[in-house]
Amino acid sequence: MSVLNVFEPFGLIYTFFVLSVRLDLGIIKKSGRPAIVLGLGSFLVPWVLATFIIFLGNIAMKVDENFRVPLLAVAPLQAIISFHSILSLLTDQKLLNSELGRLALSSSVINTLFSWLAFTLIGFVYEGLSHGVKVFLLKLLTILFIFVVIVFVLRPILLWMQKQSPERKSLKHSHVLAINMMVIGVALFEQITGNRTYLGTTILGIITPASPPMGSCLANKIEYFVRAVFVPCFVLNVGRRVDLFSIQLHTFLTVEFAILVSILVKIAAIIGTALYYKIPFSDAITLSIILNCRGIYDVQFFSSANQNKIITDEVFVLLILNAILQFAVSVPLIRVFCDLSRTYRTYSKRTIRQSEYSSKLRILVCIYEAEDASTIINFLQASVSFQNFIEVSALNLEEYVGHSMPIIIEHHFDGIPSQTTQADHIINAFRYFEQQNRGLVLVQCFTAIAPRASMYHDICLLAFERFTSLVVFPYQKSNTHYIKTMMKNVLKTAPCSVGILFDRGLFMDFTPIFWRRHRIHVGVVFVGGPDDSEALAYGVRMAQNCSVMLTVIRFVHKENDLIKKDYDSNIINDFRIITIDSKNVEYREHRVTQGADTARVLSYIGYDFDLFLVGRRHDSNSPVLFGLTDWSEIEELGVIGDLLASSDFLSDASVMVIQKQT
């Protein structure tokens, strides 16, 4: 028991610290007034209204006077939302990067900060009345003192440690020990002065730099040990105080009435506020479910109230059981009600073909490594012409282990170019690209910092906000599993068309493409369908560059003597009319009987091209592709794209696979 009693506070101290490191208070500003109103309303309304209803219920049920205060304490305890619990829940459910997740997290932060302030002031007033004004002033001074020490002494030390550790390098062992001593020292000072140990450690965590190597190192060296050792000890120590057989039926009904009233009032307050700010009803329900979910951090509040004799053992046991039930019910309900794909749905078409009506094409390019910048830039260079203005949003994707808060940083082309981080390399490369194509290209650079599992939300959200028509990914067969999974998620949820560029060496050289080649031969493989029409639309845009030779290769089933006047034929006819006077555009037609013939033709003509543009999805019943689907390995590239990217395809041509907006 002694070991458990020691490990329990250590678990809480370090858990609050590590999770607070991940918190970015800037998310409150981004969410705006709805988050503030939701945070305050979800605490004040349940506290006041539920307390009043419970008070009337106590009178009606003739509850014993000694039991009334513990029952009235249920309302404020249920009104508290721990942002640590919400952060963990959203991380596990991969909702952090969604707009709903940001609103839920920022609301919980407001609720937590306000509830801590309210209960701290109430505690000060109570101690002032019971122990005198001197004790009240001394406790207030100790809190102010530790706050000043953390902000003006410890924070500069942490920033100095961050500067001493280069990017992608491990934090020094001495620095890790120093941070541990800071955490324990702050907690010890608060314990000695009679304050809550998690308050100072939370502030210390918030002001700790979350960027690597500090954030990731703290996660690797502290978080896993805390979760494996300290947290189970806390849960075990709380669980041993839960005695189910001590609860009587009358007590059970009375306490459950108070808990149920508090939960329902809280749900009504959250839904009402969300609807007032014109949040869709289904999202309002999901938000109320998320903010009513409980975790071990809420259990800490119940445990503290029980140890301070604010609630009885019976009330404590029932609060714990209801917290477990709320979590068990909330997670499946969130998965049922939360459809994040709705977030990125648009009322207008955002496709390359649709952008033909405008001279501007908006493209979002995603970059995982600095080397990908040259590949993307050279590809874009081949797409630039005097008739084809491009607005590029370059998104640098970085995964921070120690920073689970989703952040999108907007970079500006200001100051002296630097070459210190991956982001700097990418920014400078695109800066040069824009300068070389002044008047034809406009570039804006961003960095997305997010967990791997939910990074695709940042991509889709930025594409949605920037009104892009195409999202482009560089692709290599050596890509990690999480990158391929991210691509698949973007293909499912993107609000615009998506392109996957498989480069065999044509674009990856840092030397500008047209310094090495006078012409680029581009082939559009047209089998039929919306994706092929989108690939053709991009090919037409590329052909506006006189250094690009475009050839459209259409495959038609041999038994069809006359090509049907369908959607595909109309697309081809429009293309031939538009390019009738273009000397750098050619149209070919091949009649085949099955997929093997299609593969044979592509293999024969493959050496004539530097780049192929193909659609990702095709009619699975098309005789032109019969038999090819059985050999397809890379789902992201589609049947034709996989064929052209395979090692059996001897041509050195690169491949751009395009999927039209769903």
Side-chain angles (χ1 to χ4, degrees), residues 3-36:
V3 174
L4 286 177
N5 288 332
V6 171
F7 275 24
E8 178 184 349
F10 269 95
L12 288 173
I13 290 167
Y14 275 103
T15 302
F16 275 102
F17 171 72
V18 172
L19 282 174
S20 298
V21 170
R22 299 177 175 179
L23 184 65
D24 175 24
L25 293 180
I27 195 174
I28 301 173
K29 182 179 178 181
K30 294 177 183 177
S31 299
R33 184 176 295 178
I36 298 174

Side-chain angles (χ1 to χ4, degrees), residues 542-649:
M542 293 187 73
Q544 292 174 354
N545 187 327
C546 59
S547 297
V548 173
M549 300 297 296
L550 177 69
T551 303
V552 177
I553 307 127
R554 187 182 187 188
F555 288 94
V556 183
H557 192 238
K558 202 169 188 178
E559 294 180 359
N560 293 338
D561 295 327
L562 296 175
I563 300 174
K564 295 186 296 182
K565 298 293 183 180
D566 55 6
Y567 171 81
D568 297 331
S569 297
N570 292 334
I571 293 293
I572 291 295
N573 290 335
D574 291 343
F575 155 73
R576 300 187 73 174
I577 292 171
I578 292 172
T579 61
I580 191 170
D581 296 326
S582 301
K583 296 181 180 179
N584 61 331
V585 177
E586 181 186 356
Y587 175 75
R588 300 180 190 174
E589 195 171 287
H590 293 274
R591 295 183 178 274
V592 295
T593 56
Q594 58 182 344
D597 298 333
T598 303
R600 192 180 303 110
V601 172
L602 288 174
S603 179
Y604 177 74
I605 66 174
Y607 295 99
D608 298 335
F609 299 99
D610 303 308
L611 172 68
F612 280 106
L613 298 177
V614 300
R616 178 174 176 266
R617 299 165 301 183
H618 299 93
D619 182 5
S620 58
N621 297 320
S622 172
V624 174
L625 302 177
F626 180 76
L628 293 181
T629 54
D630 299 336
W631 300 95
S632 183
E633 297 179 355
I634 306 175
E635 179 186 352
E636 306 90 89
L637 300 181
V639 178
I640 299 293
D642 179 67
L643 173 67
L644 296 173
S646 68
S647 55
D648 296 332
F649 193 73

